[in-house]
Amino acid sequence: MVKRHVGTRTGSAELRDKVSWKKADRRTADDLLARGKVFGALVIPEDFSASVAALAGPPQHEPHPPTMTVLTNPAAGSFGSGMAAEINRKVVANTSAQVGRGLTQELRRQSAHHSASAHASRPAAPRAAAQLMIADPVKVNVEEGHPLGAHSGLGLSAYFYALVLVLGGMLGANVIHTQVDTALGYMANDKGPFRLVKPAQHMTRMHHFVVWSVLMVVLSMLTSALAMTGAVGVVGIDASHLGLLWIFGTCATAAMGITALVLIGLAIPSAGATIPLQALPDFYRFLAEFEPFRQVIDGIRSILYFGARTDAGLGRAWTMTAIGFAGSLLRGLVLTRLYDHRGLHRSALQLSDPQLQPGPRTVPA
């Protein structure tokens, strides 16, 4: 039976409650790795016990040491994959030490038995090859469980791509807000040393929000296209499903821009992009359940690394992005409609001094 361990364990009490394990066959293990559900695996081959027993048996011309394979999964997060691989190596080291002690005791017992038997068929000496291996009998192979391309940034390209989308959404929101308010006469437009102030135009808050949201969606199409062109065409990251990548990037950027309430200081650590969520405090794990950046990261990872599989995070990313988009849009419509209903319009102040009345004029800044 092929055994697969999710996470790692060294026997240390400190890790016992912090590392999650799952025993599965190789097909299930490969599927979990391909969907980004685990950070690594430790594979014990079917002939492991036989390989151990052979070291204590008759001498072999070419002895085959027992071997365990550590599978990494940088697509699920390079930091988490590295942690899993390191602890898995410790598991192999501890196992090798335990097997070595058992082999030593068995060889000593056999040696004593052969020395006491007058009719021993062979002396104990010919086990030189086994004796050389018993100090560290178990060997380890490290392989990528879900291979990535050479231009994937060791699993970090999804993080930086998502970061560009998020920043693009927030920057786009600020640009649109400034430009729309300038066009409506609520902000001044600086032209070198001069400042142009347009007459304020009446527009309901709800109408203003709708216009702003439509412009955000249009700008998100351009932002997503530019991000993909720069990342794939210029930098040359490994990427497939380019059409889906552009569409998802557009929706994610628009959702971020319309929400415009994401705190980057909390979004980055709770995204699980560098440090795995399992290694974070409970507060950040709670934020990760609904925080937008984490959902964008999962969607980009699925598209870039896992063949755009919905069960590798893309399904949840689409769902949460849609919820965020619809929730922000609905909240904006309700609040702006409430402001309009109460008469809190964005109208210009009526000043008593005629010289201070708003109007089209250009004055030195």
Side-chain angles (χ1 to χ4, degrees), residues 158 161-162 165 245 248 296-305:
Y161 192 91
L165 294 180
L245 182 63
F248 180 79
V296 177
I297 283 288
D298 287 347
I300 296 299
R301 272 181 175 161
S302 177
I303 295 172
L304 292 183
Y305 305 150

Side-chain angles (χ1 to χ4, degrees), residues 2 6 48 65 71 80 136 145 150 169 173 186 230 260-261 269 280 302 309 348 363:
V2 177
V6 178
F48 181 80
L71 299 180
D136 186 19
Y186 293 104
L261 296 174
L280 294 175
S302 177
R309 294 178 55 171
V363 297

Side-chain angles (χ1 to χ4, degrees), residues 57-81:
Q60 305 177 40
H61 180 66
E62 294 183 359
H64 297 283
T67 303
M68 293 183 180
T69 301
V70 173
L71 299 180
T72 62
N73 194 14
S78 58
F79 191 86
S81 177

